[in-house]
Amino acid sequence: MAPTLEQRVRGLLSQIEAEGLYKRERVINSTQAGRIRVVSQASEREFVNLCANNYLGLADHPEVIAAAKRGLDEFGFGMASVRFICGTQAVHRELERTIAGYLGKEDAILFAACFDANGGVFEPLLDADDAIISDSLNHASIIDGVRLCKARRYRFTNGDMNELEDRLKEADRDGARFKLIATDGVFSMDGYVANLAVICNLAERYGAVVMVDDCHATGHLGEAGRGTPTLTGTSQKVEIVTGTFGKSLGGAMGGFVAASQSIIDLLRQRARPYLFSNSLAPAVAAGSIKAIAIAEIADDRRQLLAAHARRFRSGLEKAGFELLAGETPIIPVMLHEARLAQDMAAALDERGVYVAPFFYPVVPKGRARIRTQMSAALTEKDVEFAVDAFADAGKALGVI
Ligand SMILES: *Cc1c(COP(=O)(O)O)cnc(C)c1O
């Protein structure tokens, strides 16, 4: 007899489990912060948290929470409508203008998540006559968004600018009308910043448009936290920026595209995740507006974040760990083997440090690691505590 769907699903689950790839969610019994309370085996322990995208520490900022509460009181709990029917309040337009102004673009359009922004941005702008040239390490949502668009797809190896140029030439040979280069601003698994200076030069030379997904940069990288275009001096040249309110900017949820007025106007007419999905909750929009206002003047937080990154990097290097080089608060500790990364995460867990191990298929085989992320929510003491825990766990496992 043919297996039922239920049997197939159970088979897949056992396979995921057997491969050691089964992800289990842990319950956090506190706000998102530098120190969190995590439920483990019916008890609860405090951890230093090294794996949130809460770079600026705004996730539990009292002013952000107060602004969200005011949003709730003033605008209600939900809109029960997509934007164009009866789902647009002043707070939605204010958030769009605020994020556009922050990033130096004419306008912006909100989505339920950046996953949706990337899912909806390509298809309205390009069709089968056009070309999208995409970095091989781009986020899953860019890959999906590109798939939903009829444009021809070209891929270049992460950060390989010669290959990017080859792909631009190839697209020209194939007769592409418009060419768009799509890249993450920061590649989240490695913490590398995209080489936007070279990308934008190539784009100019070959007449391509540049789109940057700056989820891991908006709020904390570049002058005033305006992200990788500002960091690399390319903000005039990067025409389309996508991003999230779910990381540095308060960490709640919601995504956006920021670009010229006409691009945003067309996305409002045609972007499917915008047209066919509910409006952002007003409290989330109100809290995000406050988070941007704080981020824009948060040089103190950005300095603390950078100081933590330097301290943590040098502490781990001194202890003998292998790190990936970089200039972002993402600091990957290389362990190479999946089993070792998991054992190291468990050893750190016992020592009160919450980290996430990454291994194949999330990163290439033999490139397993613990990806740590610094946050302005951490104190110097927390960072030192984490360095000591790494050193202790590393010795216990023979890593260093
Ligand atoms: C987190 C992330 C996303 C998804 O953002 P959400 O708002 O959580 O959907 C998209 N792209 C990149 C590069 C990201 O890091």
Side-chain angles (χ1 to χ4, degrees):
M1 227 173 58
T4 63
L5 178 61
E6 185 63 28
Q7 284 166 332
R8 173 179 152 73
V9 169
R10 280 193 221 129
L12 287 171
L13 286 170
S14 336
Q15 188 187 328
I16 296 168
E17 179 87 56
E19 287 167 354
L21 301 176
Y22 202 95
K23 292 181 277 300
R24 286 185 172 76
E25 296 177 2
R26 304 183 63 186
V27 176
I28 292 169
N29 230 348
S30 64
T31 59
Q32 186 65 276
R35 283 181 179 259
I36 53 174
R37 300 200 58 81
V38 182
V39 178
S40 68
Q41 287 137 22
S43 72
E44 205 180 282
R45 283 193 292 138
E46 191 181 71
F47 284 80
V48 167
N49 185 9
L50 298 191
C51 50
N53 301 316
N54 184 27
Y55 297 111
L56 288 180
L58 300 184
D60 65 347
H61 192 293
E63 285 179 39
V64 175
I65 294 170
K69 281 181 179 164
R70 283 197 301 276
L72 199 52
D73 289 339
E74 194 175 337
F75 295 103
F77 179 60
M79 285 313 288
S81 170
V82 300
R83 287 287 297 278
F84 79 92
I85 298 179
C86 54
T88 299
Q89 294 168 311
V91 74
H92 297 106
R93 279 303 291 145
E94 190 186 340
L95 177 55
E96 288 173 337
R97 288 202 196 93
T98 304
I99 190 68
Y102 183 43
L103 301 181
K105 294 284 178 265
E106 287 176 3
D107 201 0
I109 174 174
L110 305 180
F111 290 83
C114 188
F115 206 103
D116 289 326
N118 288 337
V121 69
F122 301 106
E123 193 244 358
L125 301 179
L126 304 170
D127 68 25
D129 295 332
D130 305 318
I132 299 174
I133 302 132
S134 185
D135 188 288
S136 63
L137 284 192
N138 277 345
H139 191 262
S141 53
I142 295 183
I143 295 168
D144 286 8
V146 170
R147 277 192 195 136
L148 292 170
C149 172
K150 292 191 179 63
R152 285 223 192 98
R153 300 164 209 161
Y154 301 82
R155 210 172 80 125
F156 61 98
T157 307
N158 176 236
D160 187 332
M161 297 294 104
N162 292 325
E163 218 178 287
L164 168 58
E165 184 163 13
D166 289 344
R167 296 290 91 79
L168 286 161
K169 287 179 183 161
E170 194 182 334
D172 276 341
R173 281 200 301 275
D174 294 344
R177 179 184 50 177
F178 302 121
K179 297 184 290 295
L180 183 147
I181 303 170
T183 182
D184 285 11
V186 172
F187 296 94
S188 62
M189 287 301 142
D190 301 305
Y192 297 153
V193 176
N195 194 346
L196 292 180
V198 174
I199 289 174
C200 288
N201 282 343
L202 287 170
E204 235 165 290
R205 189 165 337 139
Y206 290 89
V209 170
V210 177
M211 172 270 190
V212 173
D213 171 350
D214 228 9
C215 278
H216 278 283
T218 310
H220 60 280
L221 291 189
E223 177 268 329
R226 295 181 219 280
T228 58
T230 304
L231 183 71
T232 58
T234 56
S235 40
Q236 300 301 315
K237 297 179 176 173
V238 173
E239 289 183 52
I240 303 170
V241 176
T242 66
T244 185
F245 303 110
K247 289 180 175 131
S248 261
L249 299 177
M253 64 186 306
F256 63 85
V257 179
S260 70
Q261 192 62 60
S262 35
I263 286 180
I264 300 306
D265 288 348
L266 182 65
L267 293 177
R268 277 191 215 286
Q269 302 307 311
R270 295 272 173 84
R272 291 162 67 84
Y274 181 80
L275 292 171
F276 299 104
S277 188
N278 198 29
S279 206
L280 268 194
V284 168
S288 301
I289 291 167
K290 176 57 77 176
I292 296 166
I294 295 172
E296 195 161 11
I297 54 167
D299 281 344
D300 50 345
R301 286 172 186 266
R302 280 183 285 274
Q303 276 157 19
L304 184 63
L305 182 62
H308 285 344
R310 281 193 301 274
R311 180 179 293 270
F312 191 64
R313 271 190 177 280
S314 77
L316 289 197
E317 271 163 4
K318 253 182 236 149
F321 285 100
E322 177 193 342
L323 310 179
L324 292 186
E327 49 191 310
T328 74
I330 297 173
I331 303 171
V333 183
M334 299 306 292
L335 295 155
H336 301 284
E337 299 313 317
R339 172 55 58 192
L340 190 56
Q342 281 166 299
D343 290 348
M344 187 72 188
L348 286 162
D349 187 292
E350 283 167 19
R351 290 162 177 80
V353 176
Y354 194 174
V355 294
F358 287 94
F359 38 85
Y360 182 82
V362 178
V363 294
K365 277 196 174 131
R367 303 286 291 159
R369 66 196 66 179
I370 285 175
R371 179 186 69 175
T372 65
Q373 292 165 283
M374 291 295 108
S375 167
L378 297 164
T379 63
E380 229 168 73
K381 265 209 181 105
D382 294 334
V383 175
E384 270 161 20
F385 177 86
V387 169
D388 291 344
F390 260 90
D392 194 48
K395 277 177 202 141
L397 290 175
V399 177
I400 52 167

